[in-house]
Amino acid sequence: MSTKARDLALQHFRWIGGHANVWAIFRDAEALAVVVAALAAPFRAEQVTAVVGIESRGFLLGGAAAVELGVGFVPVRKEEGIFPGDKLVRKSTPDYRNLRHTLRLQRSSLGPGDRVVLVDDWIETGSQAAAVRSMVEECGATWLGCSVVVDELTGAPRDALGSVRGLLTMRDLPPYEC
């Protein structure tokens, strides 16, 4: 992926209270535009018809990547919140904090002929992405893979998700300092 996108993402990355913070990317118009273009780039030739994003940062990055690719955006909501219509629901396997998330996708948002990519800020265990892939495929759509800012996924979970593209890895990030 783009060196400029990697550099801008790193410039805006901070550890705050032990948590990774990528929110500053959203405040800088140039950084946001470059990062979004880099997230869309690996799938530009894949005839994507929809970008899926998981609440909350996935809504922002996924929506922007959908615009960049000239396709629609499909939200995946967590737990609560208004989300009308018939939904597919999956409970993820435990994530890096050992939490399981209930994810919801409107059944009518995807169908046969759709070619879907998931865009998010971070992937570590792949638990939420795997749940989303399952829902996408149940709709009859084709799963193309994931594009993320930080990619920590390894081993069998990575193999199960197919194409996972990241701007950065954990090794690229500045060390956490107390």
Side-chain angles (χ1 to χ4, degrees):
M1 290 202 186
S2 152
T3 301
K4 184 173 184 181
R6 289 171 46 86
D7 291 347
L8 284 169
L10 283 170
Q11 285 174 18
H12 291 82
F13 178 86
R14 300 289 180 271
W15 292 104
I16 299 176
H19 300 282
N21 180 26
V22 297
W23 285 104
I25 292 169
F26 298 106
R27 182 62 178 96
D28 181 322
E30 178 190 8
L32 181 59
V34 170
V35 165
V36 166
L39 290 170
F43 294 94
R44 203 171 285 287
E46 299 292 326
Q47 300 171 335
V48 174
T49 63
V51 173
V52 175
I54 302 169
E55 190 170 6
S56 70
R57 286 179 295 267
F59 278 15
L60 298 166
L61 290 169
V67 170
E68 178 76 19
L69 290 167
V71 301
F73 174 74
V74 176
V76 173
R77 299 234 34 205
K78 292 181 181 175
E79 314 286 339
E80 302 290 328
I82 296 172
F83 206 37
D86 188 23
K87 288 166 281 307
L88 295 172
V89 178
R90 295 288 188 282
K91 191 152 197 127
S92 72
T93 57
D95 67 9
Y96 69 99
R97 294 174 297 171
N98 207 30
L99 298 175
R100 295 184 66 185
H101 297 277
T102 300
L103 303 174
R104 303 175 295 146
L105 173 80
Q106 289 174 318
R107 188 179 295 274
S108 64
S109 62
L110 294 171
D114 277 315
R115 297 175 54 80
V116 180
V117 62
L118 170 70
V119 174
D120 210 348
D121 66 323
W122 202 292
I123 191 166
E124 185 171 11
T125 66
S127 64
Q128 292 181 57
V132 171
R133 179 180 186 166
S134 171
M135 291 186 288
V136 164
E137 290 175 342
E138 186 173 329
C139 288
T142 300
W143 174 265
L144 298 174
C146 308
S147 193
V148 297
V149 176
V150 181
D151 175 9
E152 286 190 73
L153 197 59
T154 61
R158 181 179 206 83
D159 296 340
L161 287 175
S163 181
V164 177
R165 309 291 177 83
L167 295 178
L168 305 168
T169 67
M170 192 65 163
R171 291 182 307 276
D172 300 321
L173 298 177
Y176 173 73
E177 296 179 14
C178 298

